[in-house]
Amino acid sequence: MIANSISGNIIENPPKDGKLSVPIDFEWFETDKKRMAKVAEDGTEFGVMVGRTIKDGDVLAETGDKRYYTKIKSAQLIEIPVDSMKEMGRLCFELGNRHLSLKVENDRVLVPYDHPTMEYTKKIGYEPHIIEGGFDGFLIVKAHAGSGTIIPGTNKTTGDLAEEEQEAEADKDWAADAGHGHSHDHAHEHEHGHDHAGHVDGEYEVNGVLHRPDGSHSHDGGRTWHTH
């Protein structure tokens, strides 16, 4: 089944029509992906391509007697308390330079746990600690967003439009393959942007962050790597 739109949210507007609500589990780092192959709790297979960030409770599909919704799994997070706007601004600047996904609240910032980030925030004067919780509504820092020249009359660059065209073509191809039972392989190919020839022995993933034995890690599915 293809899920290409969101028809509601069972948390914001609890349904009263008697349909069975069936969850589809998502990791926090999957909610912003363009294309995914998922399996609902009842075994129904989905190709998910809704075109925007998915929130906890979003309704992705409905049948005569069932409603399929997103359930974002909890994750290990770093909670960093802040006491002032000055502290908040400095912290977000430091984390933004590291291309980390953030969740900003009134008195704290949350980021997915990884040891180098934990130690770095201690080093620059904060008091981070580890918690388990939900990580929806986060902000993504893109290292190469907006490349090219501004198109008059818009807030987009030539690079933005080229990327949108490529994504539109990829969506068409992926939807066609998903309809013929090939959604998982195609989703993997497009989302990661590399093949397994680039895999390094000992590479592992924690809360969406890929780690390698040499100490480098990636926050974008293996497209870029860096060390702290």
Side-chain angles (χ1 to χ4, degrees):
M1 187 181 298
I2 296 294
N4 56 17
S5 64
I6 294 171
S7 61
N9 186 288
I10 67 169
I11 296 174
E12 298 171 358
N13 296 293
K16 300 177 182 179
D17 55 11
K19 286 186 179 182
L20 176 65
S21 292
V22 182
I24 306 173
D25 286 342
F26 289 80
E27 302 286 354
W28 74 265
F29 51 85
E30 294 179 316
T31 59
D32 199 55
K33 288 185 175 181
K34 304 287 186 183
R35 294 165 291 276
M36 285 173 285
K38 304 296 291 184
V39 179
E41 189 177 81
D42 66 356
T44 303
E45 296 183 354
F46 282 89
V48 181
M49 44 184 296
V50 298
R52 68 172 178 82
T53 299
I54 294 169
K55 297 188 300 181
D56 198 29
D58 278 347
V59 178
L60 300 182
E62 295 190 51
T63 64
D65 59 349
K66 293 182 180 180
R67 174 183 298 101
Y68 293 91
Y69 71 96
T70 63
K71 180 181 178 183
I72 301 175
K73 297 166 68 175
S74 63
Q76 197 171 36
L77 307 172
I78 302 175
E79 180 184 59
I80 311 166
V82 294
D83 295 322
S84 67
M85 285 297 293
K86 183 177 180 179
E87 283 188 8
M88 176 73 79
R90 175 170 166 258
L91 175 60
C92 290
F93 174 80
E94 295 285 355
L95 295 176
N97 279 338
R98 298 162 75 85
H99 312 306
L100 297 175
S101 298
L102 317 171
K103 184 172 185 179
V104 179
E105 299 183 346
N106 289 335
D107 58 355
R108 66 176 184 170
V109 173
L110 301 173
V111 296
Y113 171 78
D114 71 69
H115 183 70
T117 299
M118 184 82 172
E119 294 305 309
Y120 180 72
T121 50
K122 290 179 182 177
K123 182 179 178 179
I124 61 176
Y126 293 89
E127 298 181 357
H129 52 274
I130 301 171
I131 65 170
E132 188 81 16
F135 193 59
D136 57 336
F138 57 90
L139 304 173
I140 297 177
V141 177
K142 295 185 179 180
H144 307 292
S147 61
T149 58
I150 293 290
I151 299 171
T154 76
N155 61 352
K156 297 182 179 181
T157 68
T158 52
D160 291 332
L161 288 188
E163 182 177 353
E164 288 177 4
E165 290 175 1
Q166 292 171 359
E167 289 292 345
E169 287 299 317
D171 285 345
K172 291 179 183 177
D173 293 343
W174 190 84
D177 282 357
H180 291 85
H182 301 298
S183 59
H184 176 76
D185 292 340
H186 207 66
H188 183 83
E189 174 187 346
H190 281 291
E191 283 302 328
H192 292 281
H194 59 75
D195 57 29
H196 290 288
H199 178 74
V200 173
D201 288 342
E203 185 178 304
Y204 64 96
E205 180 179 300
V206 178
N207 283 335
V209 180
L210 293 175
H211 297 264
R212 284 179 171 173
D214 63 3
S216 63
H217 60 281
S218 171
H219 295 273
D220 58 8
R223 287 185 287 274
T224 60
W225 294 85
H226 57 278
T227 58
H228 300 312

